[in-house]
């Protein structure tokens, strides 16, 4: 199988951009990534764009209208929170196929304001009548299964927010760069037990982009800053007894992780740095176990130990994560990969994980889709 | 004097069925090859992919809480707080619902509950017909 390398990666600062379109945000990220690679849009053979809410508006073509209508094929992807990672993976597959030497993968989003709904249904609005379909309630219920099985406490879930908000103070592109002590996280507005407001991800606008190239092109450009894609897997939710009445964040993530580890020929104990889908604080603890960072039932102890904080054994979400960097749905999957690329290059500044050589990026889309990518310093 | 005309209530959600006597029940579908159950009549079994016709059954009204949360903030206009539960019925069908219970602190995983049909908050369909919905209450063992 031919190798694929990431030679350009960047993102715009996550925040609110009321006067700019998602295409403009995506175009800015695309130019940043091309500049990072030392390439131009004329070098790009294909464009893949992830945008959960905006893909149907021919987002890729709109981006090219901003940066150069070179006539290349555009693939527009909507795959919930996995949209960006799906676009990245399709770009990788395009290079692996031998069709393209250079592909651009962009994730861009302007989220609708407020709490994001799940599915529309017939009959009277189901919210409150038949439990809750809000995302905080869905991930609260997912966390309470872990709590019932292993005694995981609200303090342990809250420590995820403390950690990721701390990490974000070192990321100038994060939406929030302010520490939140445990007492503050616990005292913020209760949304759905055990999730307080500070344990829910930040609903923001944003865009991120990566330039992927073939081995031949990478050698031509020079490998000093190139990052190799060692493993890639995308999964849909396999059958599980409660799914889809109850969202199953676990099986789909485990399926994608197993595929990516197998392709990479490495195990979770070899990872130096991880960006995972902390859409809610409960989710991060579930994914410690789903990704094999600890054994079953040990996630609470892992966060307590400090192993996933910068300076620990396997730092998780050093970018600040979705909780503090922000979660522009379709951009998140690309942004997670950008963070891993910057870490493996040793260019992550104050939040640099010392000597990081192997990293993992994970996202999880409601509905469900999970993507896992394993990257390595070339 | 007006004569009241019995209007058959409409299911507020897809898997409620209403009989000719206006009595509702929850319907489930079981794969005869692997035993998997669901509230939806799918074209094939979502677990084992068998295309043998799924067998429809009337679900049990009793089960246990598999997971829960107390919702303190929901979409604008939705009354809070309320308890959202995932319930595993005795025949393994999974339902999401609202648990009506006075003491929220008493809710726990494994808690026995009973399904009760209701008027879906008094909502009416576009033709003015009432809906039939459901909620859960704690099962104390006293009920018949
Ligand atoms: Zn079956």
């Amino acid at each position: 199988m031919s190798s694929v390398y990431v030679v350009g990666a960047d993102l715009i600062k996550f925040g609110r951009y009321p006067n700019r379109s998602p295409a403009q945000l995506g175009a800015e990220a695309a130019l940043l990534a091309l500049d990072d690679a030392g390439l131009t849009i004329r070098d790009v053979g294909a464009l893949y764009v992830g945008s959960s809410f905006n893909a149907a508006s021919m987002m890729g073509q709109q981006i090219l209208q901003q940066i150069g209508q070179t006539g290349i094929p555009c693939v527009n992807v909507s795959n919930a929170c996995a949209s960006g990672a799906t676009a990245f993976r399709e770009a990788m597959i395009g290079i692996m196929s031998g069709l393209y030497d250079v592909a651009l993968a962009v994730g861009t989003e302007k989220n609708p304001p407020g709490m994001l709904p799940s599915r529309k249904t017939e009959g009277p609005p189901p919210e409150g009548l038949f439990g809750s379909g809000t995302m905080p309630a869905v991930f609260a219920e997912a966390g309470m299964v872990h709590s019932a099985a292993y005694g995981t406490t609200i303090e342990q879930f809250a420590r995820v927010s403390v950690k990721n908000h701390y990490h974000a103070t070192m990321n100038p592109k994060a939406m929030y760069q302010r520490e939140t002590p445990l007492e503050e996280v616990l005292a913020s507005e209760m949304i759905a037990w055990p999730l307080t407001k500070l344990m829910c991800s930040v609903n923001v606008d944003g865009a991120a982009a990566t330039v992927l190239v073939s081995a031949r092109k990478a050698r031509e450009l020079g490998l000093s800053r190139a990052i190799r894609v060692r493993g890639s897997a995308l999964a849909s939710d396999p059958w599980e007894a409660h799914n889809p009445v109850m969202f199953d964040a676990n099986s789909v993530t485990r399926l994608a992780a197993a595929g990516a580890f197998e392709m990479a020929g490495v195990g979770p104990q070899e990872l130096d740095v991880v960006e995972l889908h902390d859409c809610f604080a409960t989710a991060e603890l579930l994914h410690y176990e789903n990704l094999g960072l600890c054994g079953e039932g040990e996630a609470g102890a892992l966060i307590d130990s400090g192993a996933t904080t910068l300076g620990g054994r396997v730092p998780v979400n050093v970018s600040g994560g979705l909780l503090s960097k922000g979660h522009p749905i379709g951009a998140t999957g690309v942004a997670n990969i950008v963070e891993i690329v910057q870490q493996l290059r040793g260019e992550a500044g104050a939040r640099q994980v010392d000597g990081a050589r192997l990293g993992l990026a994970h996202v999880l889309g409601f509905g469900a889709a999970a993507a896992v990518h394993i990257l390595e310093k070339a | 004097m007006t004569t009241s005309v019995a209007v058959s209530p409409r299911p507020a959600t897809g898997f409620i069925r209403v009989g000719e006597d206006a009595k509702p029940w929850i319907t489930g579908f079981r794969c005869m090859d692997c035993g998997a159950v669901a509230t939806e009549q799918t074209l094939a079994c979502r677990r084992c992919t068998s295309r043998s016709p799924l067998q429809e059954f009337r679900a049990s009204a009793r089960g246990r809480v598999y997971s829960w949360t107390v919702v303190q903030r929901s979409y604008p206009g939705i009354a809070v707080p309320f308890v959202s539960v995932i319930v595993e019925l005795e025949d393994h069908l999974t339902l999401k619902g609202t648990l009506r219970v006075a003491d929220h602190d008493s809710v726990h995983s494994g808690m026995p509950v009973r399904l009760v049909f209701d008027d879906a908050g008094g909502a009416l369909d576009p033709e003015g017909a009432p809906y039939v919905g459901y909620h859960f209450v704690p099962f104390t063992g006293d009920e018949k």
Side-chain angles (χ1 to χ4, degrees), chain B residues 31-36 45-50:
Chain B
C31 172
M32 298 313 286
D33 286 316
C34 77
C45 173
R46 55 172 59 137
R47 181 191 194 188
C48 76
T49 76
S50 166

Side-chain angles (χ1 to χ4, degrees), chain A residues 94-108:
Chain A
I95 304 259
M96 286 174 102
S97 76
L99 270 180
Y100 311 113
D101 265 333
V102 181
L104 180 60
V106 179
T108 185

Side-chain angles (χ1 to χ4, degrees), chain A residues 115-118 121-138 140-145 148 189-194 197 239-247, chain B residues 10-13 16 36-37 39 46-47 66-75 78-79 82-88 92 94-98 109 118 120-121 123 131-135:
Chain A
M115 240 183 233
L116 302 179
S118 48
T121 50
E122 306 241 327
E127 183 66 18
L129 283 182
F130 304 112
S132 180
T134 67
M135 289 298 113
V138 164
E141 287 166 350
M144 289 312 288
V145 173
E189 181 191 349
M190 181 58 68
I191 306 292
W193 179 271
K197 190 171 183 199
W239 183 87
E240 189 272 339
H242 306 104
N243 174 301
V245 174
M246 177 176 182
F247 177 58
Chain B
R10 296 193 40 191
T13 189
I16 297 175
V37 293
T39 52
R46 55 172 59 137
R47 181 191 194 188
Y66 177 68
S67 193
W68 59 275
T69 183
V70 181
V71 178
Q72 300 282 356
R73 200 216 292 185
S74 178
Y75 305 127
I78 303 292
F82 63 90
V83 181
S84 176
V85 286
I86 305 288
V87 171
E88 227 176 60
H92 302 298
T94 302
L95 293 187
K96 181 161 222 172
T98 298
S109 174
D118 59 29
Y131 280 109
V132 55
Y134 67 84
H135 62 272

Side-chain angles (χ1 to χ4, degrees), chain B residues 10-122:
Chain B
R10 296 193 40 191
T13 189
F15 44 85
I16 297 175
R17 295 285 184 277
V18 183
E20 286 182 12
D21 57 359
K23 276 198 174 156
W25 71 91
I26 299 287
T27 196
F29 297 90
R30 181 180 288 112
C31 172
M32 298 313 286
D33 286 316
C34 77
V37 293
T39 52
E40 188 183 348
Q41 188 168 29
T42 50
L43 292 180
C45 173
R46 55 172 59 137
R47 181 191 194 188
C48 76
T49 76
S50 166
R51 290 172 65 172
S52 307
L54 303 176
Q55 189 185 65
E56 188 165 0
F57 65 95
R58 288 191 183 208
S60 163
R62 281 176 54 186
R64 288 178 182 276
V65 171
Y66 177 68
S67 193
W68 59 275
T69 183
V70 181
V71 178
Q72 300 282 356
R73 200 216 292 185
S74 178
Y75 305 127
I78 303 292
V80 289
F82 63 90
V83 181
S84 176
V85 286
I86 305 288
V87 171
E88 227 176 60
L89 296 177
E90 283 175 332
D91 36 32
H92 302 298
L93 208 59
T94 302
L95 293 187
K96 181 161 222 172
T98 298
L99 174 64
R100 292 194 195 161
V101 57
D103 179 11
H104 290 176
D105 291 336
S106 69
V107 181
H108 61 273
S109 174
M111 179 179 187
V113 294
R114 187 167 60 89
L115 186 145
V116 179
F117 289 99
D118 59 29
D119 66 353

